[in-house]
């Protein structure tokens, strides 16, 4: 059983779970770092953490083209149905769903959420993904919060945390978050898409190595990492 993970820039990721393609927050069309177009994205499931356009703007088109169900919160699920997405799963914070080859639990994220047309997007979320014998914590757009330690108690193989600052936690708080979560591996996200969230990712990785027990995984856009 195996998982590979590909970064598409910003907070957009693709997972391959034993041959099942999954997209997380597939912001591609207006993403200057994206190595593929929305028309090229493959999906059997789509996970959407919150409604902001730098996460959601391609979801309707990809879901309609691929037929992939979208997992999100109730408010976003209802909004997607009104946009013509026929298959959605509207979970809520703390709830988990079994989707056959993977389980997805919605976690807390401290942020805001509105849809591209201004519609209220409910509470923002992260994801705790259990698949192929691994646990991945995708924090979503969030500030640092102490209960990350509770997710760490799950035994996290890979944590994916924002480091861009300004809109989310920055480098310093991400290091504190890593210490709370204590994952085997950690990947950065939500950085370098615009000057406002520019970061020295090599410096971040050096700090992870020197200040935590996690191994940093830094990918170029389009880069893929097989989770051991």
């Amino acid at each position: 059983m195996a998982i590979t993970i590909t970064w598409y820039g910003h907070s957009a990721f693709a997972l391959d779970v034993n041959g099942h393609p999954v997209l997380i927050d597939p912001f591609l069309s207006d993403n200057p770092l994206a190595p593929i177009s929305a028309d090229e994205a493959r999906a059997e499931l789509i996970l959407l953490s919150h409604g902001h356009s730098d996460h959601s703007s391609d979801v309707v088109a990809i879901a309609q083209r691929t037929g992939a169900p979208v997992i999100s919160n109730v408010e976003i699920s209802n909004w997607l149905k009104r946009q013509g997405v026929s298959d959605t799963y509207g979970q809520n914070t703390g709830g988990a769903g079994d989707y056959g080859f993977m389980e997805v639990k919605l976690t807390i994220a401290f942020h805001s959420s509105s849809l591209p047309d201004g519609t209220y997007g409910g509470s923002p979320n992260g994801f705790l993904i259990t698949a192929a014998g691994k646990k991945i914590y995708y924090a979503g757009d969030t500030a640092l919060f102490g209960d990350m330690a509770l997710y760490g108690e799950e035994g996290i193989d890979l944590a994916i945390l924002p480091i861009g600052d300004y809109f989310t936690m920055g480098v310093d708080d991400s290091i504190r978050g890593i210490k709370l979560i204590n994952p085997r591996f950690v990947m950065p996200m939500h950085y370098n898409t615009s000057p406002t969230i520019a970061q020295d990712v090599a410096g971040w990785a050096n700090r992870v190595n020197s200040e935590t027990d996690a191994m940093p995984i830094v990918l170029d856009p389009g880069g893929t990492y097989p989770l051991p």
Side-chain angles (χ1 to χ4, degrees):
M1 299 197 298
I3 298 179
T4 59
I5 184 164
T6 303
W7 186 49
Y8 288 150
H10 204 59
S11 300
F13 289 85
L15 302 180
D16 185 291
V17 182
N18 295 320
H20 298 280
V22 178
L23 290 174
I24 305 176
D25 286 0
F27 168 57
L28 301 171
S29 296
D30 295 320
N31 177 354
L33 301 181
I36 66 169
S37 70
D39 291 340
E40 297 173 290
R42 298 172 58 246
E44 195 171 318
L45 280 176
I46 301 170
L47 279 59
L48 180 56
S49 67
H50 66 292
H52 290 161
S53 60
D54 58 332
H55 298 255
S56 67
S57 58
D58 289 313
V59 168
V60 171
I62 294 172
Q64 290 176 332
R65 176 176 57 81
T66 63
V70 181
I71 301 168
S72 194
N73 67 26
V74 174
E75 289 82 4
I76 292 175
S77 176
N78 291 336
W79 182 85
L80 289 170
K81 289 176 181 177
R82 295 195 295 271
Q83 311 312 306
V85 177
S86 59
D87 201 355
T88 67
Y89 293 98
Q91 296 179 208
N92 216 321
T93 308
D98 186 348
Y99 299 97
F101 62 90
M102 67 188 297
E103 179 185 274
V104 180
K105 177 185 283 187
L106 266 60
T107 66
I108 294 167
F110 286 93
H111 195 58
S112 58
S113 181
S114 57
L115 282 305
D117 62 2
T119 302
Y120 172 60
S123 297
N125 293 107
F127 301 108
L128 185 61
I129 299 166
T130 305
K134 308 293 183 185
K135 289 203 174 184
I136 298 172
Y137 172 45
Y138 176 93
D141 280 15
T142 189
L144 176 70
F145 58 96
D147 283 352
M148 286 181 172
L150 297 178
Y151 301 131
E153 291 176 2
E154 300 273 353
I156 303 300
D157 293 289
L158 172 65
I160 305 173
L161 302 178
I163 68 167
D165 216 345
Y166 199 83
F167 300 111
T168 67
M169 72 169 81
V171 169
D172 289 344
D173 280 354
S174 77
I175 298 297
R176 295 173 69 190
I178 294 165
K179 292 176 181 178
L180 291 172
I181 301 161
N182 194 30
R184 294 171 57 216
F185 302 94
V186 61
M187 284 185 180
M189 66 173 178
H190 207 279
Y191 71 99
N192 285 2
T193 327
S194 69
T196 307
I197 57 173
Q199 293 293 345
D200 173 11
V201 72
W204 170 85
N206 287 336
R207 287 192 60 184
V208 174
N209 277 322
S210 63
E211 298 178 36
T212 81
D213 294 326
M215 177 180 291
I217 306 298
V218 175
L219 300 175
D220 291 328
T224 294
Y225 185 80
L227 189 59

